[in-house]
Structure formats: C-alpha cells, structure tokens
Amino acid sequence: MSLLNTGFLWALAALAVPLWVHLRRRMQYRQLPVGSLRFLNEVLQERRRRSRFEEIPLLLLRLLCVILLAVVFCRPFFSSSVKAVADPAETVILLDASGSVTGAMKTAGMDFFQRAAADVAEGGKLTLAQFSDEVAVISDAGEWTPRAGAPTDLTRAMNWALDRIGAGDGGAGQSGKVVLIAHLAEGDVPPSPPRVWPPGVSLEVHALRSPSMQNAAVRQVTLLTPYVMEQMEIEAEVHLPTGADRAVTLKAEGITITQTVPEGGDRVIFKLKPPRDEVRGTISLSGGDDWPADDERPFAVRWVQPRRVLLVDGNPGNTPFEGQAYFVDKALTASGAAHGKTPFQPEIVYGLSARQGATDLSGVAAVALCGLPAVSTADARLLAQYVETGGGVLIALDARWTRGASAVLEAAGLLPPGIRPAGGDSMPALAEEAGPVRTLTTWERTHPILAPYDGKDGGDLREAEWRDGFDVPVESGWKALATLDGGHALLLEKTPAVTSKGRILVLAHSLTREWTDLPRDPLFVPLVKSLFTYVAQAEGASPELKPRYPGVHEDRPPGLYADATGNTEIVAAAPSESVVNGVEITALRQAFGVPDASLPASTPQEDPSLAKASVPWRHELWPWVAVALLFLLMAENLVATRRPHPSSTR
C-alpha cells in the first residue's frame, strides 16, 4: 500500500492531545469530608478496575480516531499494473450507400477501403458496414451497393459505430477506430454533436468527391387541390443550378404538359382536368448530371369532389354579415379554399321550397337549418326522406325558434319532442337575454366530432362560452353528446335507425355572434368542420399518397408499383440527396465533436506493442478508511457517555 499525500503524516503529532486530556483528568483531585475511612480501600480498588476497563479503551479509541483521520488525508492506495487494452481494439469501416454516391465515387472508395483494412493491427477486430437510411453489416466490400435515390442518415451511422466499438460512454480501457468513407454533403452533418465523442476512439475520414457539384432535380410533388370539381393543380418543387434547362414536363394518363420555371424560382404548377380519381405519372427535367435518379420523379395523387352542403338561412338580414349562415359558410370555406383544400362546397339558400317546387337534394351531402322561424310540413317530410337515403341534417336553434317550426320538425323525427326555452315559456325579446353564459362540463370524448378538443393539440371545448338558451329533453332515440354546466344538453345526435342511412345533429345554440362571440373563438372553424364532416359522412376522404425512399429495406428503383391489394406505391428519390454540395472534413469533425486530429495521439491499433505495455493503476482506499473512522467515532461516543452502575447498598 502506498500513500498519495505523505505530508499529512505530520498530523500524527495530534496523538498527544488525547494523551494529555486523559492524564489531566487522572491528576485532578477534590477534597471531600468523609465520616469514616472504613470503606476507602474498597472504593479505590473499584476505581482501579473501572479505569482499567473503561478509561484505557476510551483512550485507545481516541488515539485510533486521530490516526485514521491522518490516514484519510494521506489518501492510501494499492498500486498495480494492468494492460492498456484488455481486448484487441476494433475498427469499424462505414461505407456510404446513399444515392449521392456515383459509380466513380464507389471506385475511389474501394481504394480507401483497401488501405484502411490494411492498417488494422494484427489481432484487431474489423467490422464492415454500409449505411443510407439505416446501417447494415456486410461481410465483404463486394457487397457494398449504393442505391440510387437513397437518403443519408450519417448521425445514425456514426452512433451505430460508436455503440459497436463499445466506447459510447467513454469508459476506461475502451478504444477503437471509425473509418468513414462517404460523400459529405451539407445536409448530412448535424447542427450540434449528437453525443460526447469518446476519447479512446479515433476518426479517419475519406471524402468521396465528384468532378461536378451541379445537380438538377425534381425534389417534391404536391397536390394542391385534393378536393376539386373541374381542375386540379399539381405543384413541383425543383432544384436547378445556374445555367440548367428550366423546362419541366408532366406526363400522366396520356397528358403531356411542359412548364418553364421562372428565373430565381424553384416551383412550377401544372393545371389539368383529372381523367379519374387517381392520377399517376412523372414530372421530369433535363438533368444531364451525375445523379439521374432525381431527374424524373414519379407521383400518384388522388382527389375527391368536395361535399356539397346547403345552408338554409332563415334570416338573411340586410347585409351578408347579418345572415344566420354567414359564419358557417366562412368556416367551411376557410383554410386554403383557393386551392380546394376544404372538403366542402357550401351554398347558402333561403328555403327548401320555391315557386319551382321542392329543392333537389340529390348530390347534397348535408343540409343545415340556421335560424328557421318556420318550416313547412312538405319541407320537413323532404328532409326526413333525405336522411333515410343517406343525407345529413344539422339544426342550429337560436332566438328565432318557434313552437310551430319545432312541432313540424318533431313530427318528422328531426327534433327531440318537448323542446322549450330554458328561461320560460317563450324566447326573450332580446337575443342577448337568452339564458346565462355556460361552459361545457361533459361530452363524449371519444366521439369523432368532439374527440379532437379535449385539451390537447386541437384545443379545449371548456374554454368556449355558450348561452343556456334551451331545455332539450333527451328522449328515447336521442343521445346527448355535450352538456352545459347548467345541466341542459347542447349537442344531440339521433340514434341511427335501421331504415335510416343518414345522420341528424341538433345544436341548441346559435352559430352567429348574437348570443356569444363564438365565431371569433379559435375553436369555431375546426368545430364547424368537425360537425359537417360527421353529418356529411366525409371522414373517408382519400389521404395523400406518401412516397417511399430506396434504402436498406427498399431495393426497388424509383418508379410506380402496385402492392398485393392493387393499391399504388411510390418509390422516389429522397429530396435530401438532391443537394450535393460537399463539406470539409474539419467541419464534419466539429459537427460530431471529434477531438482535433492535429494533436499528437497514440492509439493501440496504431502501435501494436502498446497493447502489451503496462501502465500504473491504483485503487484508492481513503473512502473505506473514512467509513471506519465514522464507526470509531460512534463507538468512542458510546464509551465516553457510559455511566457506571450504582453500587448495591450494604
């Protein structure tokens, strides 16, 4: 055992302190008057026995405590020697198999690989892997297969290599080497180091370069009009270097359209009349570069006709802003109506019957009754038949409600029976007096209409304010989907009958600003769309087709394919591979936090003899000495505070 701080041995001089205290206590005498000296000899003998068994152990404990305290500050340790590396160091060679690696780059990369493999020390381990979107171990460099259009996930590859070496935590004795043979593009390096680079791992980088860094590519294809009536718009995002041909061509379903990308721009829009609900084709440009995989991009887009919705306005007012259907119309056409991104095509009407007869509801997905003061029996029957054939009806009650209109709709099965004003027998004369302001307390949190508004990303319905205007009894055949804190139902749905294919919703609140400022609430637009999506049964709109990228698990080249069920699959080049501008090796090392390569360093795999050398190693003992000192102090305290038992009475 050795001592790290031998100077603290002078602290042993403090052993004189407990000795002086012990002797001083023994030399102290007190004069006491006694009546007899008969028992004095017995007392002195008992005192000697107690000093022998109590005071001397206490002195020894105190001396030992001082000794241990000095030893703690001296920091004792056991010295030994171990090998610098217990196991042979591992070398991991990463080969870039992304779409930016051309044939010429691969040839140069094979030369780099041969030199890196020859540098592996005798007895060292070598792991060979190729990477693109994921990492795959290969047994020989002949299996290295760059895939056209495959993305590059360099961070995943580097982390995998560090985990493979086993030095990700920087543990003592761990060492290795990562050899990266890759095309270093700007988009491949992380903005900050993803982890702490282990000090025992070195990095060797061989950058694959192309004679030309100019690449023209079609990066993205987007359908701007998923809901269209006559014309669809397809947008292509392109990457065009200086001097490249700016003509872009769309070929689909026998249609060929060529557009020119304006100078300084990177997008072009194709407008065409869709021949069917799924349009498949390609958008291409004249690349003429070393990366032809992204010169032509396959696409497949689906579209549906927007649902036609009739908004029956019972009180249009003097201006459009006063209409009962104005805010509903704006909510349904919001969010990209210029490009047809709303699934609804609303139309405001002022009645279901006119001089020409009843309105033709064929092709109408939903009908909304907004503030109707009166409804004819013929119109009610028309709506009932419309629901039986699959149509949807939404009834919004407001201050213009009358018992007459309610009775007609109740008879047709479109309203729950027994609706009455919450504050009396009739609606107040002023709309703003229609009941107190309430908030929602309970609602069907799993219902398609209300599920998105439970305090998460879609918002919280409890933040909206509603007037408690109506008492709507929840009769058999009806279900309350939302209830106010006053106990009255706000939103009701009629239980679908066996003979009915449509849906009926009743909202006991105005969709205007007469009662509350609901149309200005951020939840108004998404809530209205949720109501009509459900009542019009528009949930099944075809989603946008997402392309798959070539990679470790996708060996098909870019193109259009059909799966086992006949659905279209798209395999396209990853947009990230279109930018081929390279970065310097020093920038890559900084991005991953690799120590400066210019500093002198010697690693076991570079010097095989280092693996056999012995280096000092110590195991410090002062923590254990400190624990022992703690227990001694506890024992010293028990002995010092111990009191002798009183002598028995004679």
Side-chain angles (χ1 to χ4, degrees):
M1 184 179 70
S2 303
L3 300 178
L4 190 63
N5 301 321
T6 56
F8 278 96
L9 292 177
W10 288 100
L12 295 177
L15 291 173
V17 175
L19 287 172
W20 176 78
V21 172
H22 180 76
L23 295 175
R24 184 173 180 275
R25 290 184 58 190
R26 296 190 61 180
M27 290 186 297
Q28 290 179 350
Y29 300 98
R30 288 188 300 171
Q31 293 183 358
L32 296 175
V34 296
S36 173
L37 300 178
R38 177 183 175 183
F39 303 105
L40 181 59
N41 188 40
E42 296 180 6
V43 172
L44 292 176
Q45 292 179 357
E46 183 179 355
R47 178 65 176 173
R48 293 191 192 97
R49 289 194 301 268
R50 192 169 300 153
S51 299
R52 186 180 305 117
F53 292 102
E54 292 184 6
E55 294 182 7
I56 294 178
L58 179 61
L59 174 63
L60 294 177
L61 285 174
R62 288 173 176 172
L63 293 175
L64 187 57
C65 286
V66 174
I67 295 173
L68 289 182
L69 184 60
V71 171
V72 167
F73 285 99
C74 289
R75 294 183 64 177
F77 64 90
F78 285 124
S79 60
S80 181
S81 62
V82 295
K83 289 185 178 181
V85 181
D87 298 318
E90 182 172 3
T91 299
V92 177
I93 301 180
L94 296 174
L95 301 174
D96 188 354
S98 65
S100 60
V101 177
T102 64
M105 290 182 183
K106 179 181 176 181
T107 302
M110 292 295 292
D111 295 337
F112 291 136
F113 164 75
Q114 296 295 338
R115 292 200 294 268
D119 290 340
V120 177
E122 183 180 355
K125 295 183 291 184
L126 173 63
T127 300
L128 184 60
Q130 64 177 355
F131 69 94
S132 54
D133 56 334
E134 295 184 22
V135 184
V137 177
I138 56 179
S139 58
D140 186 79
E143 300 178 16
W144 178 22
T145 308
R147 300 197 182 279
T152 304
D153 195 339
L154 183 57
T155 300
R156 179 195 290 262
M158 297 291 274
N159 287 338
W160 180 90
L162 294 180
D163 293 337
R164 181 82 179 192
I165 292 174
D169 58 355
Q174 301 289 346
S175 64
K177 183 179 183 180
V178 177
V179 179
L180 177 64
I181 304 175
H183 170 246
L184 306 179
E186 292 180 351
D188 298 340
V189 297
S192 59
R195 64 197 292 178
V196 176
W197 190 270
V201 178
S202 62
L203 175 64
E204 180 181 317
V205 182
H206 300 283
L208 303 178
R209 306 292 187 186
S210 175
S212 173
M213 290 291 107
Q214 301 295 318
N215 179 38
V218 181
R219 302 190 64 186
Q220 291 282 10
V221 176
T222 305
L223 176 63
L224 298 180
T225 53
Y227 305 98
V228 297
M229 291 294 291
E230 297 180 354
Q231 191 178 61
M232 71 187 313
E233 298 179 5
I234 298 177
E235 180 185 67
E237 178 187 350
V238 299
H239 176 75
L240 295 174
T242 304
D245 189 352
R246 309 191 73 81
V248 183
T249 302
L250 178 146
K251 294 182 179 181
E253 311 294 344
I255 302 173
T256 301
I257 304 174
T258 300
Q259 298 277 15
T260 301
V261 182
E263 289 290 339
D266 61 353
R267 300 171 190 273
V268 64
I269 296 178
F270 298 93
K271 298 180 180 181
L272 66 150
K273 184 176 181 179
R276 57 195 185 96
D277 58 354
E278 181 176 289
V279 178
R280 296 175 293 181
T282 60
I283 294 180
S284 60
L285 46 73
S286 178
D289 47 54
D290 294 337
W291 297 274
D294 53 14
D295 294 347
E296 182 178 271
R297 191 172 191 86
F299 72 90
V301 294
R302 295 173 180 172
W303 62 277
V304 296
Q305 289 189 351
R307 266 68 168 181
R308 186 183 171 202
V309 175
L310 288 185
L311 307 178
V312 185
D313 194 333
N315 184 29
N318 298 323
T319 65
F321 307 100
E322 298 175 346
Q324 297 298 300
Y326 172 79
F327 291 104
V328 178
D329 175 67
K330 295 304 178 183
L332 293 178
T333 57
S335 301
H339 286 296
K341 290 187 177 180
T342 175
F344 304 106
Q345 184 186 12
E347 178 184 350
I348 298 178
V349 297
Y350 305 103
L352 292 175
S353 298
R355 294 180 180 180
Q356 293 80 11
T359 302
D360 183 11
L361 297 181
S362 59
V364 177
V367 176
L369 305 183
C370 305
L372 261 67
V375 179
S376 66
T377 302
D379 289 348
R381 291 176 179 174
L382 175 65
L383 289 175
Q385 295 174 357
Y386 168 71
V387 173
E388 291 179 359
T389 58
V393 173
L394 171 65
I395 301 175
L397 305 177
D398 62 4
R400 271 155 293 280
W401 171 89
T402 62
R403 290 190 180 276
S406 180
V408 173
L409 294 174
E410 289 174 9
L414 301 176
L415 276 180
I419 295 179
R420 58 184 180 272
D425 296 332
S426 61
M427 295 301 296
L430 298 177
E432 59 269 17
E433 298 177 358
V437 175
R438 303 283 190 183
T439 58
L440 286 182
T441 54
T442 59
W443 67 86
E444 292 287 339
R445 300 176 187 268
T446 59
H447 196 277
I449 299 176
L450 306 174
Y453 314 109
D454 197 13
K456 300 178 181 178
D457 295 338
D460 195 339
L461 277 177
R462 288 166 291 193
E463 297 177 357
E465 295 182 343
W466 310 83
R467 287 283 182 181
D468 195 4
F470 292 94
D471 179 8
V472 185
V474 184
E475 299 290 342
S476 176
W478 290 85
K479 181 180 181 180
L481 302 180
T483 305
L484 299 174
D485 57 6
H488 294 155
L490 175 68
L491 180 64
L492 298 94
E493 177 187 11
K494 186 173 183 179
T495 305
V498 178
T499 58
S500 175
K501 299 180 181 179
R503 296 170 177 174
I504 303 175
L505 293 176
V506 176
L507 179 66
H509 195 278
S510 170
L511 290 175
T512 65
R513 298 181 62 186
E514 288 184 335
W515 284 0
T516 63
D517 224 3
L518 181 64
R520 298 185 62 181
D521 193 290
L523 289 176
F524 180 75
V525 170
L527 179 60
V528 169
K529 287 192 173 183
S530 294
L531 290 170
F532 280 88
T533 297
Y534 181 77
V535 77
Q537 303 187 48
E539 303 97 331
S542 300
E544 183 180 355
L545 296 178
K546 299 294 185 181
R548 302 180 60 176
Y549 303 139
V552 172
H553 301 294
E554 179 57 77
D555 56 1
R556 295 177 296 182
L560 295 173
Y561 303 90
D563 61 12
T565 60
N567 295 323
T568 302
E569 290 185 349
I570 309 171
V571 179
S576 59
E577 296 305 298
S578 300
V579 180
V580 295
N581 298 331
V583 297
E584 298 298 328
I585 295 178
T586 55
L588 180 135
R589 297 179 67 91
Q590 293 176 359
F592 283 95
V594 184
D596 190 353
S598 63
L599 298 178
S602 180
T603 58
Q605 62 267 37
E606 294 172 353
D607 186 1
S609 62
L610 185 62
K612 302 178 181 179
S614 297
V615 296
W617 173 84
R618 67 172 184 261
H619 179 68
E620 296 196 20
L621 300 177
W622 69 266
W624 301 103
V625 178
V627 173
L629 175 60
L630 176 63
F631 281 102
L632 282 177
L633 290 174
M634 296 172 59
E636 187 273 343
N637 182 65
L638 291 176
V639 174
T641 56
R642 180 180 171 182
R643 293 290 183 266
H645 296 289
S647 301
S648 57
T649 305
R650 297 191 177 184

